[in-house]
Amino acid sequence: MTAGATGAASYDWRFDSGRICLDLVATAEPAAGGREALAGTGRLGRWLVGTGLVPAETALPVGDVQWVARFVELRDCVGQLVRAQIDGRCAESALERVNALAAGPPPGIRAVRDAEGSLVRALSAAPECGALLAAIARDAVDLLTDPVARARLRQCEGDNCRRVYLDTSRGRRRRWCSSEVCGNRERVARHRRRAAVARA
């Protein structure tokens, strides 16, 4: 199975959190029917391609439930860490696990020519689950040890949204993970409230 394979139960991923590790945390939102968002035909593979960690059409055993379980474990640990950082708390067991995963080597990369002769990125070898986890765990370590980036961590203020993102806006006043998604929902809700008051 290739990472770019499509299945009947497609899932649209968003990559607007500002970091790969935060995009992984965002996958905690369940898919339709309350299912694990990363589980199912090709979902984890599509997420990996979307992040840029692996090139499209890379063969991965993404149907392996152990891969999904390991990514979910890392997601939970990173989620605990970033929310603890926002709240001014510690999450030592999560930190220990992320550090352990970050110690592994990330996937090797190389430049190769595509059919048109342009240089494109490819993996040096078939990636192992641990190598991909290491790349994401290292991103989390880089984020949490960078005082400037760490200070930009925000929890979305949208109703029922648990996404965490980096606020890179001018003035650092961004309120939502996405102006087009949660921001738009808030604007629509505000408009409806005003319309209801006007009718009353």
Side-chain angles (χ1 to χ4, degrees):
M1 182 183 300
T2 61
T6 58
S10 179
Y11 192 83
D12 293 324
W13 298 113
R14 284 174 42 202
F15 301 97
D16 53 6
S17 300
R19 295 296 283 253
I20 291 174
C21 63
L22 298 180
D23 287 333
L24 178 62
V25 172
T27 68
E29 296 177 10
R35 292 177 46 200
E36 166 57 49
L38 291 174
T41 307
R43 287 184 179 174
L44 176 56
R46 284 192 295 278
W47 185 84
L48 289 166
V49 168
T51 64
L53 282 172
V54 298
E57 305 308 320
T58 300
L60 293 171
V62 292
D64 185 336
V65 294
Q66 289 302 316
W67 277 57
V68 173
R70 292 177 71 188
F71 274 87
V72 167
E73 178 196 21
L74 177 58
R75 177 186 73 196
D76 293 346
C77 289
V78 174
Q80 290 173 43
L81 283 173
V82 296
R83 289 192 174 92
Q85 180 63 45
I86 290 170
D87 297 340
R89 297 179 291 106
C90 294
E92 293 305 315
S93 61
L95 179 61
E96 185 178 324
R97 186 64 184 134
V98 168
N99 281 334
L101 290 169
I109 60 169
R110 60 194 179 112
V112 297
R113 299 221 178 259
D114 65 10
E116 287 78 40
S118 298
L119 287 174
V120 295
R121 189 173 63 91
L123 298 180
S124 300
E128 297 178 353
C129 186
L132 294 170
L133 292 169
I136 300 167
R138 286 176 180 218
D139 183 57
V141 169
D142 287 343
L143 167 63
L144 294 169
T145 57
D146 178 343
V148 174
R150 195 172 59 223
R152 294 177 177 175
L153 279 169
R154 302 285 186 274
Q155 170 75 51
C156 182
E157 295 180 23
D159 288 341
N160 303 315
C161 184
R162 302 255 314 130
R163 284 179 181 255
V164 177
Y165 61 91
L166 282 187
D167 181 2
T168 56
S169 66
R170 193 174 298 167
R172 308 290 179 258
R173 292 189 299 253
R174 183 173 157 194
R175 297 177 50 209
W176 304 295
C177 62
S178 167
S179 180
E180 293 77 23
V181 180
C182 288
N184 191 51
R185 285 184 195 141
E186 177 65 25
R187 287 186 287 272
V188 168
R190 213 166 32 222
H191 172 74
R192 287 180 179 159
R193 286 192 296 269
R194 281 196 301 264
V197 169
R199 284 194 302 269

